Amino acid sequence: MTIDPARVRRALATAVPALLAASLLAACEQAPDLPGTDPAPPSASASASGGGDTALPGLPDPAAARDLLAGLTVADAGSMSGYSRDRFPHWATRDGCTVRQLVLARDGDDVTADDDCRPTAGTWTSAYDGETFTEAGDLDIDHVVPLANAWRSGADAWTDDEREAFANDLDGPQLLAVSASSNRSKGDQGPEEWLPPAEAFHCVYASAWTAVKDTYALTVTAAERDTLAELLDGCG
């Protein structure tokens, strides 16, 4: 199937300004609460079972995700020519806090931070494998749809500003604090190649992946689509 450039442009024209605005608003709302407090999770979120109580904003339910999946363009993976993580600038700063710090504050329990937004205490449960941590440095912030995967499925044609918005998206279910080991095991693999060890998280993972691909009009391979469909069909 061919990619519809007009659909991609429409998706980015809608998503990027909205995500940047929402990220700035989220930071303004959360940053003042960071030092010494446990911020409330975003209002538009869903609880991820199986690996903790991580809240993912903008997460569709499985039925909605199946509808989104049906609308995705299926195409072979593109070339990695020209790819660099530097083409997706992160982590951005929002009102004095980095996006990494904001995700750590959102995804942890009883998180406290210093005046520079650096977490000084808290407990984090990695949704991918159920591991629990008390040191923020032991966690990675995962891009649910990896940067390299996005590059191969359409982001190579974006501007650097559009790629920056994707890499720092606080409004959708794209960023998640997880164990460093699970994140590095995943790498840039799609769900047809890698899934979180915590099977109870698979429905959330498939829904999140599908939502991100839809928001940014990214393509899926046939194997990727089939795996997502199987996962979503198995959800309650």
Side-chain angles (χ1 to χ4, degrees):
M1 296 179 65
T2 58
I3 300 172
D4 181 358
R7 180 175 183 266
V8 175
R9 287 194 296 271
R10 286 195 301 272
L12 288 170
T14 301
V16 173
L19 292 172
L20 287 173
S23 296
L24 288 169
L25 177 60
C28 290
E29 291 175 345
Q30 294 185 54
D33 294 333
L34 283 173
T37 64
D38 181 14
S43 56
S45 64
S47 181
S49 63
D53 293 325
T54 301
L56 283 175
L59 183 72
D61 62 42
R66 283 191 287 270
D67 289 341
L68 296 178
L69 180 62
L72 297 181
T73 297
V74 178
D76 292 338
S79 170
M80 287 296 290
S81 176
Y83 171 75
S84 167
R85 288 179 65 83
D86 292 340
R87 301 296 301 275
F88 294 80
H90 63 290
W91 301 107
T93 298
R94 308 286 189 232
D95 197 32
C97 300
T98 68
V99 167
R100 171 183 166 84
Q101 291 166 342
L102 291 171
V103 174
L104 287 168
R106 182 197 72 191
D107 289 357
D109 292 320
D110 301 320
V111 177
T112 60
D114 62 20
D115 290 340
D116 294 319
C117 290
R118 291 188 296 262
T120 56
T123 302
W124 293 266
T125 301
S126 168
Y128 284 174
D129 51 18
E131 297 292 324
T132 300
F133 301 91
T134 57
E135 295 290 338
D138 292 333
L139 294 118
D140 284 354
I141 306 303
D142 182 46
H143 292 93
V144 171
V145 173
L147 306 181
N149 184 289
W151 181 272
R152 295 192 296 268
S153 52
D156 60 324
W158 299 349
T159 67
D160 284 348
D161 285 345
E162 289 165 344
R163 284 187 284 265
E164 181 176 6
F166 175 84
N168 295 278
D169 179 3
L170 289 169
D171 194 46
Q174 165 68 337
L175 300 177
L176 185 61
V178 298
S179 66
S181 60
S182 64
N183 185 43
R184 293 165 199 184
S185 171
K186 171 182 173 178
D188 67 352
Q189 298 175 95
E192 73 280 14
E193 299 174 304
W194 184 93
L195 288 169
E199 292 186 9
F201 193 70
H202 287 182
C203 284
V204 172
Y205 189 75
S207 295
W209 184 285
T210 301
V212 173
K213 287 265 173 152
D214 174 75
T215 296
Y216 289 94
L218 295 170
T219 62
V220 290
T221 66
E224 179 184 351
R225 176 204 58 196
D226 292 347
T227 298
L228 290 167
E230 181 178 353
L231 290 169
L232 292 170
D233 285 345
C235 298

